[in-house]
Amino acid sequence: MKIAMLYGPRDLRIEDHALDTDSLGPHDLWVETVISALKIGTDRGNYEGAEQVPGAPDFPRWVGDSNLGVVRGVGDAVEGFAVGDRVISRYPHHSEFIAKDDEMLVKVPDGVHDEDAVYGHLYTLSALCYYKSHFQPGENVAVVGLGVLGLGAVGLGPCLGARTIGIANSPVRMEMAERMGADATFMHDDPDLAAKLDDFTHGEGVDLVILTANPWPALRTSCQIVRDNGRVGIVALPGRGEPPLDFNPLDMEWFYAKGISLIAVNGRAGYLFPPERGDRREWSAMCRFTLDLMREGKLEPKRLITHRMHYGQINEAYEMIYRREKNMMGVVFNWKD
């Protein structure tokens, strides 16, 4: 198999590794990758050598975690998957792999386009931002950081009953947020931002801010624009790769005096009315819900694909995100030779 391995900052290589597909264990699945997707922010931080994220492997390490493939073989005891099924996983950029049937693989239903489905796990993380932050239908939700993850949160807003506001750092990102269904978009440095938010929300304020951008100023913006007693759901890694702070992120003016809640969007989200069978907040169940929205045409990540590239161009793509090219958003790699 071919796999992209990172040996150090900006040292990305496509390697050939052996893969035994003839001796599958009872619970093994052999999956051949069709496409994988690039996560602009997270993958850039990894590529440029930002400080270590807890739990991440040392160099050399694989990159990427949005993979769509087709099952080519199954072990004797595998249930729920069959040869020919399309599956999405959080496996990296590589041409094929062997997984266990109890791993985070989710079958893609018929009617979902490959270029939508490949974002299934990532957009489920966007949904978790709502669930973990105690979102209620009808609330005003601002998304700070309009990368792929943030735009997923924007796109999910209408499906969940939110009035969504995209807070952008460029006109290109504003246009993308509008394309994904944002009810309003504003530049983060607009001198009249507070007044415009007040007007849009009819004086009610922003109930929930979903923060997907790592830079410290984005956290400051989030704490400033959320209403008193509101919430900031933080799915970003604040300060990753950033210089030392020039302000206090827990300044009394923004945090204590406003009575806001800062919520880390990580781990599991609780569910007030658990069913007797299953768990609506179990990851695979949430992912199936996200895929159903795609099947129904209510959620279309492929709208944001700006680059379709062969896996042999992976270095070129990573250099483009390293340069922070604003016209680059959705990127998918084709793993067929």
Side-chain angles (χ1 to χ4, degrees):
M1 70 168 179
K2 297 184 183 300
I3 183 169
M5 296 293 294
L6 187 67
Y7 278 79
R10 300 177 68 188
D11 184 7
L12 184 61
R13 313 172 193 175
I14 297 288
E15 299 181 343
D16 285 304
H17 288 197
L19 187 70
D20 182 6
T21 60
D22 295 324
S23 304
L24 297 180
H27 292 279
D28 287 346
L29 292 93
W30 167 30
V31 179
E32 186 177 60
T33 302
V34 177
I35 56 174
S36 61
L38 185 64
K39 288 167 58 177
I40 301 292
T42 303
D43 285 340
R44 180 180 62 230
N46 189 11
Y47 181 68
E48 66 189 6
E51 66 266 25
Q52 185 79 352
V53 177
D58 292 330
F59 296 120
R61 60 180 180 237
W62 48 260
V63 293
D65 65 358
S66 297
N67 185 298
L68 178 141
V70 175
V71 176
R72 296 303 186 196
V74 296
D76 294 340
V78 170
E79 297 181 359
F81 298 97
V83 172
D85 285 344
R86 291 183 301 158
V87 293
I88 55 171
S89 70
R90 303 186 72 171
Y91 269 75
H93 298 307
H94 58 181
S95 60
E96 56 185 328
F97 59 90
I98 293 175
K100 297 294 184 182
D101 58 3
D102 61 352
E103 293 185 43
M104 200 61 66
L105 275 72
V106 180
K107 187 160 61 174
V108 178
D110 292 340
V112 182
H113 195 283
D114 285 353
E115 291 185 347
D116 287 325
V118 73
Y119 291 101
H121 282 289
L122 183 60
Y123 272 38
T124 297
L125 179 57
S126 299
L128 183 63
C129 295
Y130 286 89
Y131 304 145
K132 192 74 180 283
S133 302
H134 309 291
F135 167 76
Q136 297 295 315
E139 287 189 316
N140 300 309
V141 179
V143 181
V144 176
L146 298 178
V148 179
L149 181 61
L151 289 166
V154 169
L156 278 158
C159 302
L160 300 177
R163 299 186 73 224
T164 55
I165 308 158
I167 305 297
N169 63 0
S170 77
V172 172
R173 297 300 169 86
M174 288 181 69
E175 189 276 331
M176 289 181 172
E178 291 166 1
R179 198 187 311 169
M180 287 302 290
D183 295 290
T185 57
F186 305 111
M187 290 293 293
H188 74 98
D189 56 357
D190 187 332
D192 299 319
L193 179 59
K196 290 179 178 178
L197 289 172
D198 190 63
D199 180 64
F200 174 77
T201 63
H202 309 294
E204 298 171 351
V206 175
D207 302 291
L208 168 63
V209 176
I210 294 175
L211 173 62
T212 73
N214 294 339
W216 288 118
L219 175 59
R220 176 164 51 189
T221 296
S222 300
C223 294
Q224 287 174 327
I225 67 175
V226 72
R227 67 166 171 82
D228 289 4
N229 298 313
R231 296 98 69 206
V232 179
I234 304 172
V235 71
L237 302 174
R240 185 184 187 196
E242 292 286 296
L245 284 176
D246 60 357
F247 72 99
N248 176 7
L250 297 180
D251 188 283
M252 188 181 298
E253 176 186 0
W254 304 328
F255 180 61
Y256 183 80
K258 294 181 72 172
I260 68 175
S261 298
L262 302 179
I263 301 168
V265 180
N266 190 24
R268 295 174 64 89
Y271 189 58
L272 188 58
F273 303 103
E276 291 186 6
R277 297 179 60 187
D279 179 356
R280 291 193 182 277
R281 294 295 177 259
E282 186 268 330
W283 186 267
S284 293
M286 294 193 300
C287 200
R288 286 191 293 270
F289 172 72
T290 304
L291 290 169
D292 281 341
L293 292 176
M294 295 177 183
R295 179 176 52 80
E296 295 161 6
K298 298 174 181 176
L299 192 62
E300 295 185 77
K302 66 176 179 293
R303 291 185 188 181
L304 299 175
I305 294 177
T306 55
H307 294 72
R308 294 172 173 86
M309 309 175 78
H310 185 262
Y311 73 84
Q313 299 173 282
I314 198 166
N315 289 82
E316 177 184 343
Y318 272 81
E319 280 296 304
M320 291 172 73
I321 61 171
Y322 176 77
R323 295 192 296 267
R324 290 166 168 76
E325 297 189 11
K326 292 298 182 185
N327 67 337
M328 193 176 203
M329 180 52 61
V331 182
V332 291
F333 298 113
N334 171 21
W335 285 87
K336 297 297 183 183
D337 283 316

